[in-house]
């Protein structure tokens, strides 16, 4: 039996008008995402407005939770039941996993019309394809390895924004003595892991990072350098507050905005929160590369995978959505709200702030230097199974006094084998 569902209100309206044919005139896009905080919600609304201007209906399917884990659980149940949304926020190696299931739509016609191959960096474009065909549309590039700083707090503590981990601990100690929280943090596994990859990159450098956290090389995961990373990582926890466990990332950002905390290690979506709060970069807050990582760049590219649909009007609306996402106007509007930078190359950045311009400059330079690396914490580097297993090991180490760095290294090697 062919599955077919019409929303009750739509059906009632159609019957009242005497013709179900009216439903075919405009398409509906149901979009699953996890952009629910201030700056992110604004960005999502910008995409909804873009679609509505094309005459399509936007059905918002927002699932709260910064890392997207909850959203993926919901998505799996929808797809298994044969009722996928039009589009879902999926990225990195997970795109390939969904494509292998045979449930994603081919976007080559949209990509060819707008010449995506020329308008995207090759490394990014390759990640959006399966067997040479586009299966997702990218909205942005996030830099993950940022340190967000409240200059007033640093001034009270008489310290400068740290550029090395040694400087970080000196500054953190001074902020603590001034009676404030050195590092705002949310104790969720993806946030713990964001700090972990910042430390790995800052202590070990880009080549170490690639071997350990992209290639999952056992020898590197058990090296003396990894022991130094783990020791440094655990020391960072001493400068977070006792209420951190379970805190959402945007609430940690709010602590820096209000001057309760001096710093936060978080991707550039945090900037959207500062902007939404009316703060000015360079004046009310500073963005500096995470300690030791100024010559490297961990990236997170948000993208929307398009699922195979049967309704022709909805398929057309879905293609409209893919085209709108990559349009220069939307790339500008969305990223101004989101805190990220356009993924589309050669765009005018005049409207963007100093943090975004620095991010764009570093993105281009690190891609040439070979120090542009995918964020493992944000689903860009390894399989979801390996990522999940490694995240668990790192969070257990962060939250417990049981394991030594040597024991954690053994656990990391085992976790890296998860399929």
């Amino acid at each position: 039996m062919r599955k077919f569902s019409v929303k009750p209100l739509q059906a009632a309206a159609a019957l009242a008008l005497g013709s179900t044919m009216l439903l075919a005139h405009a398409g509906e896009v149901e979009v699953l995402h996890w952009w629910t905080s201030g700056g992110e919600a604004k960005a999502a609304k910008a995409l909804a407005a873009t679609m509505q201007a094309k005459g399509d209906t936007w059905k918002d399917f927002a699932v709260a939770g910064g890392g997207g884990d909850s959203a993926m659980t919901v998505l799996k149940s929808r797809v298994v039941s044969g009722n996928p949304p039009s589009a879902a926020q999926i990225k990195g190696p997970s795109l390939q996993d969904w494509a292998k299931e045979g449930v994603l739509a081919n976007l080559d016609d949209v990509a060819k019309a707008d010449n995506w191959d020329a308008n995207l960096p090759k490394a990014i474009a390759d990640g959006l394809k399966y067997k040479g065909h586009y299966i997702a549309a990218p909205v942005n590039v996030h830099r993950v390895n940022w340190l967000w700083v409240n200059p007033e707090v640093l001034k009270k503590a008489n310290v400068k924004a740290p550029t090395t981990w040694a400087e970080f601990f000196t500054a953190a100690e001074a902020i603590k003595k001034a009676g404030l929280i050195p590092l705002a943090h949310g104790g969720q596994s993806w946030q713990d892991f964001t700090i972990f990859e910042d430390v790995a990159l800052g202590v070990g450098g880009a080549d170490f990072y690639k071997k350990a956290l992209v290639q999952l090389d056992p020898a590197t995961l058990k090296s003396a350098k990894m022991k130094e990373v783990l020791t440094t990582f655990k020391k960072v926890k001493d400068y977070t507050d006792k209420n951190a466990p379970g805190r959402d990332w945007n609430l940690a950002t709010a602590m820096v905005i209000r001057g309760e905390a001096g710093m936060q290690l978080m991707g550039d979506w945090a900037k959207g929160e500062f902007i939404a709060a009316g703060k000015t970069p360079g004046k009310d807050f500073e963005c500096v590369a995470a300690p030791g990582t100024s010559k490297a760049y961990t990236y997170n590219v948000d993208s929307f995978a398009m699922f195979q649909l049967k309704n022709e009007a909805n398929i057309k609306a879905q293609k409209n959505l893919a085209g709108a996402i990559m349009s220069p106007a939307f790339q500008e509007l969305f990223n101004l709200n989101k805190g990220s930078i356009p993924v589309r190359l050669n765009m005018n950045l005049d409207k963007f702030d100093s943090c975004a311009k620095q991010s764009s400059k570093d993105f281009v330079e690190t891609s040439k230097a070979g120090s542009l690396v995918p964020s493992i914490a944000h689903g860009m580097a390894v399989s979801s199974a390996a990522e999940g297993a490694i995240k668990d090991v790192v969070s257990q180490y962060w939250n417990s006094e049981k394991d030594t760095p040597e024991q954690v290294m053994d656990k990391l090697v085992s976790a890296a084998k998860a399929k």
Side-chain angles (χ1 to χ4, degrees), residues 106-369:
N106 183 318
L107 298 177
D108 284 351
D109 52 348
V110 181
K112 192 175 180 185
D114 189 28
N115 203 4
W116 288 11
D117 280 345
N119 287 319
L120 290 170
K122 187 176 185 302
I124 305 298
D126 288 347
L128 300 164
K129 293 176 181 177
Y130 178 68
K131 294 186 175 176
H133 302 290
Y134 278 101
I135 49 168
V139 292
N140 59 3
V141 176
H142 278 297
R143 185 180 201 171
V144 180
N145 59 315
W146 277 124
L147 179 72
W148 303 94
V149 174
N150 183 315
E152 283 299 312
V153 173
L154 266 60
K155 197 174 169 187
K156 281 178 193 167
N158 197 27
V159 289
K160 288 181 178 173
T163 59
T164 65
W165 282 108
E167 287 177 8
F168 173 86
F169 292 120
T170 301
E173 196 59 44
I175 294 167
K176 201 173 187 177
K177 281 180 181 162
L180 295 162
I181 298 162
L183 187 72
H185 181 58
Q188 297 169 338
S189 66
W190 71 271
Q191 296 191 63
D192 299 340
F193 207 67
T194 297
I195 292 180
F196 177 71
E197 76 176 20
D198 283 342
V199 175
L201 188 61
V203 170
D207 287 342
F208 167 83
Y209 179 100
K210 285 181 205 170
K211 280 181 189 165
L213 300 181
V214 181
Q215 296 160 19
L216 304 179
D217 173 57
T220 310
L221 289 171
K222 288 192 71 167
S223 63
K225 186 58 75 176
M226 182 55 84
K227 183 178 178 180
E228 187 186 344
V229 167
L230 287 164
T231 306
T232 305
F233 171 65
K234 197 61 184 274
K235 192 177 173 186
V236 173
K237 194 187 180 209
D238 296 340
Y239 297 100
T240 62
D241 69 304
K242 68 180 190 317
N243 296 320
R247 180 187 286 141
D248 285 337
W249 69 270
N250 52 306
L251 299 182
T253 307
M255 291 164 65
V256 181
I257 292 170
R258 291 194 299 264
E260 295 164 15
M263 302 176 279
Q264 182 188 21
L265 285 159
M266 187 52 61
D268 54 19
W269 47 93
K271 187 183 70 179
E273 300 298 299
F274 284 97
I275 301 298
K279 304 299 181 184
T280 306
K283 181 181 158 222
D284 304 310
F285 68 95
E286 291 174 29
C287 51
V288 292
T293 71
S294 63
K295 301 292 184 193
Y297 192 114
T298 43
Y299 68 85
N300 172 20
V301 173
D302 283 314
S303 54
F304 280 99
M306 304 294 165
F307 284 81
Q308 289 176 8
L309 304 174
K310 290 176 181 161
N311 180 296
E312 284 301 324
N314 291 351
I315 290 170
K316 185 171 183 297
Q318 185 186 56
K319 289 183 187 295
N320 284 345
L321 175 65
I325 283 170
M326 266 291 285
S327 70
F330 173 73
Q331 288 273 322
E332 180 182 90
L333 177 65
F334 179 88
N335 287 292
L336 284 170
N337 279 308
K338 186 75 163 63
S340 42
I341 58 172
V343 66
R344 192 182 179 106
L345 293 170
N346 305 315
M347 277 191 55
N348 186 322
L349 297 180
D350 285 353
K351 289 184 185 173
F352 287 79
D353 58 53
S354 54
C355 295
K357 285 172 180 166
Q358 185 66 47
S359 179
S360 185
K361 178 175 174 282
D362 291 348
F363 180 64
V364 173
E365 287 179 2
T366 55
S367 62
K368 288 176 185 169

Side-chain angles (χ1 to χ4, degrees), residues 95-106:
L95 282 171
Q96 310 304 313
D97 294 340
W98 282 101
K100 282 173 197 161
E101 296 295 321
V103 293
L104 298 187
N106 183 318

Side-chain angles (χ1 to χ4, degrees), residues 14-60:
L15 288 169
L17 289 163
S19 173
T20 54
M21 289 302 290
L22 288 168
L23 290 176
H25 285 194
E28 176 185 272
V29 281
E30 185 183 16
V31 183
L32 181 140
H33 63 89
W34 57 87
W35 292 325
T36 54
S37 70
E40 294 182 322
K42 268 188 170 180
K45 281 178 187 167
L47 185 52
T50 302
M51 291 308 296
Q52 283 156 355
K54 289 179 177 288
D56 294 315
T57 304
W58 171 278
K59 187 175 179 187
D60 203 60

